[in-house]
């Protein structure tokens, strides 16, 4: 099987022109292919499906580059043109998804004789057409198109507002006592004796976790939880209303019911049922955690009835330090970013049988970005890559503020098909915002998590069909492989390979053991916080409350361990309301499966080649070619269960 060449990205001077030309050319190609499919489709059923899949691939190529560069490129003009490219691709995709002539060509195909994947492609394609309203009248289809276009624009504006709304706090330097010295060294004192910290993660997380001064912590919490407000409030109101209208136009009770139909969970009403199941399972662990936390809090705040949200991280850190002998600043001393980054590549390379070859001459959008070709470890030197990855891991102005894997190109290998020339390498980008020096362990875990998406994208991008390429499984399974990979960032033997202090001494195994115990201490609290977020994403869509802040407060009181912080509007920067919409529950749904997947590994030998190879081949490599439940059953030898998660939560 031949391997296609990677995509050549532009240099900084030609990036805007390159995005414009690529979008224009590929969307023109899509129009030409669509015309052919309508008027002169191939005689072969398989070739007709390939033609539609090629349309899907090229639309995805435009949207992916648009989404990536609008979130990472340092040039505002490039970001703006990239946003437009994504919008143009989305507009054309909506138009084609409602094209009755194309639908009728595909609906008339005889599936007899197709293999399992081609048959699955045809079935899923016809389902997609139905869910796009192809069978509705002209006025309804026109309204659906208007809604979809507006939703894309709203999502982009919501993300832009969140990304660009960087707030600051300033206090006299002495009031930042408690922060690590490397943080203080990176934040020089101004002429007036103050230090300014931003709401970007490398500032916000340490300030809320380590600063002794409660007023400073509270100020950072307020600033962090008011990002995007008030500008995003009305955007979200409109977004929820339009999603509801779209769902009802298509015959669904509400957006959550429409959204859940194509997920593992299956139905909208199953979402709050799942949320409440997790909340109930986490009730006792949460109360146990909170009792410990409140007891420590009352030593400093006598008579307190509950721990505030602005104090939670700080006092959880104190509990870990005092009761579990885990000091996050001590742990940070072993987590130099450069070593963690290399350790991540070493660990995943060994686990999945891969080699990462740096591409020194690759064009990148910023000097911080590094490109690697991903090669099968068993292949000889100079072998064709399985894919290419880009690592963009530090914050900067105008860049996406969270941590995520972005697609650059979906991988498709079409040797022997009529469209073999359109084969392309899977390429993905890891976009994060980590410190350049020492890392919190939580951030190291996040790095492993997000890299799990990248590996899934590459290994799952070696099939014939773009529709099933990479992380193309049901959305409530997408996080499971990444959540499972987090386990390697908690293993003492694994950490010892790269977590070393300035003298080169590895992190002690007994410290890692205490870290695990300390992490277990807070998992009941963490589960309930997640259910607060999940409930917000679900009920905001189904109830469309007129006052989002009031609705958030009510859900926080019902699910969260911590009270509402007066004057804050956390939902205004809750980015998952865009992409995940009503389905933030998927993180916990995936975690249930991740715990079951991990149960198949030998805890004393996490690099067992038989288990790791079976996992790579049966869960990651198929992409979306099978239902997620079947992928899991293929690996475990049985259907997944709730048992492993319940046992982990209870212990």
């Amino acid at each position: 099987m031949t391997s296609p060449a990677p995509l050549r990205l532009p240099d900084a001077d030609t990036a805007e022109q390159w995005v414009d030309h690529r979008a224009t050319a590929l969307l023109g190609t899509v129009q030409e292919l669509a015309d052919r499919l309508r008027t002169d489709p191939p005689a072969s059923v398989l070739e007709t499906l390939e033609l539609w899949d090629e349309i899907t691939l090229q639309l995805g190529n435009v949207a992916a580059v648009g989404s990536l560069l609008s979130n990472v490129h340092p040039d505002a003009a490039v970001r703006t043109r990239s946003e437009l490219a994504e919008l143009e691709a989305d507009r054309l995709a909506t138009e084609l998804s409602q094209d009755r002539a194309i639908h009728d060509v595909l609906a008339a195909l005889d599936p007899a004789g197709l293999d399992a994947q081609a048959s699955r492609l045809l079935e899923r394609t016809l389902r997609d057409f139905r869910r796009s309203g192809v069978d509705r009248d002209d006025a309804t289809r026109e309204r659906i198109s208007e809604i979809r276009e507006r939703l894309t624009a709203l999502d982009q504006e919501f993300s832009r507002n969140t990304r660009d709304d960087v707030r600051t706090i300033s206090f006299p330097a002495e009031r930042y006592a408690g922060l690590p010295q490397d943080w203080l060294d990176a934040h020089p004192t101004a002429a007036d004796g103050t230090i300014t910290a931003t709401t970007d993660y490398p500032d916000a997380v340490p300030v809320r976790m380590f600063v002794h001064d409660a007023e400073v912590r509270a100020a950072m919490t307020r600033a962090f939880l008011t990002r995007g407000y008030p500008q995003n409030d009305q955007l979200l109101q409109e977004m929820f209303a339009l999603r509801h209208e779209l769902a009802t136009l298509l015959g669904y009770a509400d957006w959550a019911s429409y959204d859940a139909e194509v997920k593992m969970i299956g139905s909208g009403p199953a979402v709050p049922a799942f949320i409440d199941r997790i909340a109930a399972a986490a009730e006792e662990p949460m109360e146990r955690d909170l009792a410990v936390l409140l007891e420590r809090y009352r030593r400093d705040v006598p008579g307190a009835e509950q721990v505030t949200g602005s104090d939670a991280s700080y006092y959880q850190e104190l509990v870990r330090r005092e009761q579990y002998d885990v000091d996050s600043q001590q742990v940070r001393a072993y987590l130099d970013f450069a070593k963690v980054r290399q350790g991540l590549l070493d660990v995943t390379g060994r686990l999945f049988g891969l080699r990462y070859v740096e591409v020194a001459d690759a064009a990148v959008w910023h000097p911080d970005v590094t490109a690697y070709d991903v090669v099968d470890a068993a292949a000889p030197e100079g072998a064709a890559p399985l894919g290419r990855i880009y690592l963009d891991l530090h914050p900067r102005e105008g860049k996406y503020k969270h941590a995520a894997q972005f697609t650059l190109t979906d991988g498709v290998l079409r040797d022997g098909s009529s469209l073999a020339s359109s084969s392309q390498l899977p390429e993905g980008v890891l976009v994060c915002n980590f410190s350049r020096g020492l890392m919190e362990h939580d951030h190291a875990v996040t790095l492993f998590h997000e890299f799990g998406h990248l590996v899934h994208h590459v290994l799952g991008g070696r099939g014939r069909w773009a529709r099933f390429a990479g992380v193309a499984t049901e959305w409530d399974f997408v996080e499971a492989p990444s959540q499972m990979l987090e386990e390697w960032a908690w293993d003492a033997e694994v950490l010892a390979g790269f977590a070393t202090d300035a003298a080169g001494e590895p992190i002690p195994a007994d410290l890692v053991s205490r870290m695990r115990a300390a992490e277990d201490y807070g998992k009941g609290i963490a589960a309930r916080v997640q259910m607060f977020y999940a409930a917000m994403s679900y009920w905001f869509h189904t109830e469309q409350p007129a006052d989002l802040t009031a609705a958030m407060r009510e859900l926080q009181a019902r699910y969260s361990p911590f009270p509402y912080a007066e004057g804050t509007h956390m939902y205004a920067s809750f980015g998952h309301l865009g992409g995940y919409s009503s389905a933030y529950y998927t993180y916990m749904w995936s975690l249930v499966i991740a715990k079951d997947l991990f149960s198949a590994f030998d805890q004393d030998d996490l690099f067992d080649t038989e288990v790791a190879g079976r996992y790579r081949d049966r869960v990651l490599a198929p992409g979306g070619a099978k239902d997620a439940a079947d992928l899991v059953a293929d690996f475990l030898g049985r259907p997944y269960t709730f048992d492993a998660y319940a046992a982990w939560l209870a212990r």
Side-chain angles (χ1 to χ4, degrees):
M1 183 177 287
T2 58
S3 186
L7 179 66
R8 281 194 61 82
L9 291 172
D11 57 34
D13 294 337
T14 61
E16 184 180 358
Q17 179 185 355
W18 182 86
V19 172
D20 181 76
H21 179 268
R22 179 173 171 81
T24 302
L26 292 182
L27 292 178
T29 297
V30 168
Q31 292 280 25
E32 292 173 5
L33 294 174
D35 286 341
R36 180 185 168 197
L37 194 53
R38 287 187 203 98
T39 61
D40 187 26
S44 159
V45 171
L46 198 60
E47 289 184 2
T48 303
L49 281 175
E50 287 177 340
L51 190 56
W52 173 252
D53 197 57
E54 179 70 7
I55 289 171
T56 300
L57 180 67
Q58 300 306 340
L59 281 170
N61 282 338
V62 178
V65 164
S67 176
L68 171 68
L69 295 184
S70 68
N71 277 289
V72 302
H73 205 281
D75 187 329
V78 176
R79 295 199 300 270
T80 299
R81 181 60 186 95
S82 299
E83 284 184 349
L84 179 60
E86 186 180 19
L87 190 61
E88 290 169 336
D90 188 75
R91 183 185 299 129
L92 182 53
T94 298
E95 178 186 320
L96 294 176
S97 72
Q98 296 179 346
D99 191 309
R100 286 182 174 171
I102 292 177
H103 168 267
D104 290 347
V105 168
L106 295 169
L109 296 178
D110 183 359
L114 294 176
D115 64 23
Q117 284 196 35
S119 181
R120 177 181 174 84
L121 175 65
L122 178 58
E123 182 271 324
R124 292 302 168 92
T125 298
L126 295 177
R127 185 185 71 180
D128 293 343
F129 271 103
R130 174 182 59 77
R131 285 172 52 81
S132 295
V134 72
D135 56 348
R136 305 287 154 164
D137 59 53
D138 290 346
T140 301
R141 285 187 290 123
E142 183 176 350
R143 179 56 183 157
I144 290 171
S145 296
E146 292 172 354
I147 291 172
R148 289 193 181 279
E149 183 171 342
R150 179 58 181 158
L151 283 172
T152 299
L154 285 170
D155 192 24
Q156 289 180 336
E157 189 174 354
F158 176 60
S159 297
R160 188 187 318 119
N161 288 341
T162 304
R163 181 181 70 227
D164 294 345
D165 189 1
V166 179
R167 305 196 179 197
T168 62
I169 63 168
S170 293
F171 285 91
E174 63 271 15
R175 297 186 67 181
Y176 288 94
L179 279 163
Q181 189 59 46
D182 62 297
W183 191 97
L184 294 169
D185 291 344
H187 294 74
T189 303
D192 64 357
T194 63
I195 290 177
T196 297
T198 75
T199 51
D200 284 346
Y201 280 88
D203 281 3
V205 171
V207 167
R208 296 175 72 184
M209 182 178 289
F210 298 127
V211 168
H212 299 320
D213 191 316
E215 187 180 346
V216 176
R217 297 197 304 269
M220 177 58 82
T221 300
R222 284 192 300 272
F224 188 80
L225 296 181
T226 50
R227 292 172 304 140
Y229 186 85
Q231 59 269 39
N232 276 348
D233 192 278
Q234 285 303 115
L235 293 183
L236 288 171
Q237 293 276 13
E238 184 180 357
M239 187 185 294
F240 302 148
L242 287 176
R243 284 172 173 163
H244 182 79
E245 182 184 355
L246 177 60
T248 55
L249 285 173
L250 292 169
Y252 296 84
D254 49 44
W255 173 263
S257 297
Y258 169 79
D259 186 64
E261 181 187 40
V262 293
K263 292 182 168 62
M264 295 181 77
I265 203 165
S267 76
V271 175
F274 175 75
I275 291 170
D276 287 340
R277 181 182 186 185
I278 296 294
E283 178 78 20
E284 185 176 337
M286 178 192 71
E287 293 295 347
R288 187 170 63 237
D289 293 345
L290 283 177
V292 172
L293 191 63
L294 185 58
E295 188 278 329
R296 178 60 187 86
Y297 188 57
R298 282 175 173 161
R299 289 190 228 163
D300 296 343
V301 188
E305 294 297 319
Q306 55 188 344
V307 181
T308 68
S310 61
D311 290 327
S313 292
Y314 179 78
Y315 279 91
Q316 284 179 292
E317 172 62 18
L318 280 183
V319 168
R320 293 185 181 105
R321 189 183 310 153
E322 295 171 359
Q323 300 195 24
Y324 295 91
D325 194 21
V326 175
D327 182 341
S328 290
Q329 295 197 38
Q330 177 193 4
V331 175
R332 289 175 81 248
Y334 293 97
L335 295 172
D336 174 78
F337 173 79
K339 294 178 183 177
V340 175
R341 183 182 185 279
Q342 185 58 48
L344 170 76
L345 298 177
D346 294 341
V347 168
T348 54
R350 180 180 172 190
L351 184 64
F352 298 117
L354 303 172
R355 241 181 20 250
Y356 303 102
V357 181
E358 185 173 347
V359 187
D361 61 348
V364 293
W365 50 92
H366 190 273
D368 281 347
V369 182
T370 308
Y372 295 88
D373 279 341
V374 184
V375 181
D376 193 309
E381 289 293 327
L386 301 173
R388 177 170 287 186
I389 60 173
Y390 294 80
L391 304 184
D392 185 353
L393 302 179
H394 303 300
R396 60 179 176 271
E397 185 178 354
K399 181 186 167 185
Y400 181 77
K401 296 302 180 189
H402 303 291
Q405 179 259 323
F406 284 77
T407 295
L408 180 57
T409 55
D410 280 316
V412 177
L413 297 180
R414 290 177 165 154
D415 281 21
S417 86
S418 60
L419 294 170
S421 62
S422 67
S423 294
Q424 59 186 39
L425 211 60
E427 299 186 57
V429 183
L430 198 57
V431 181
C432 300
N433 289 276
F434 298 124
S435 165
R436 298 174 188 273
L438 301 178
M439 303 177 74
E440 281 77 28
H441 182 252
D442 280 354
H443 286 183
V445 172
T446 297
L447 182 58
F448 270 72
H449 174 103
E450 298 300 342
F451 198 84
H453 292 306
L454 206 55
V455 171
H456 197 175
H457 177 73
V458 170
L459 294 179
R462 308 288 294 171
R464 179 172 186 170
W465 303 107
R467 178 67 168 74
F468 304 137
V471 188
T473 61
E474 296 96 319
W475 203 323
D476 38 8
F477 177 72
V478 162
E479 298 295 333
S482 287
Q483 289 166 329
M484 194 191 75
L485 191 60
E486 292 176 17
E487 300 284 354
W488 276 257
W490 281 103
D491 183 80
E493 185 177 344
V494 172
L495 284 169
F498 62 84
T500 58
D501 64 14
E505 291 297 315
I507 189 168
D510 69 315
L511 174 56
V512 178
S513 178
R514 299 196 305 274
M515 288 162 57
R516 280 233 115 155
E519 179 72 7
D520 280 347
Y521 146 72
K523 63 191 172 188
I525 289 174
R528 288 296 291 259
V529 169
Q530 288 295 302
M531 291 307 92
F532 159 49
Y533 297 159
M536 190 165 51
S537 86
Y538 176 81
W539 292 111
F540 275 13
H541 282 86
T542 53
E543 292 189 344
Q544 299 176 73
D547 187 335
L548 296 178
T549 301
M552 180 190 71
R553 292 185 70 159
E554 190 277 323
L555 292 169
Q556 188 165 355
R558 189 190 312 175
Y559 291 103
S560 177
F562 306 115
Y564 170 72
E566 291 295 335
T568 62
H569 310 273
M570 168 267 172
Y571 62 86
S573 59
F574 186 34
H576 292 295
L577 290 173
Y580 277 71
S581 68
S582 58
Y584 188 77
Y585 79 90
T586 57
Y587 275 94
M588 194 61 73
W589 182 280
S590 293
L591 184 61
V592 169
I593 298 174
K595 293 299 181 186
D596 209 10
L597 290 171
F598 188 60
S599 70
F601 284 82
D602 181 350
Q603 310 303 298
D604 295 323
D605 182 11
L606 292 185
F607 293 101
D608 181 287
T609 54
E610 189 280 324
V611 179
R614 182 159 46 90
Y615 174 75
R616 166 184 163 160
D617 295 341
R618 297 187 184 182
V619 176
L620 301 181
K626 287 185 174 182
D627 288 350
D630 293 332
L631 297 175
V632 174
D634 287 348
F635 171 63
L636 293 176
R638 57 166 174 79
Y640 72 90
T641 73
F642 195 80
D643 298 348
Y645 173 82
W648 167 79
L649 187 62
R651 75 167 184 258

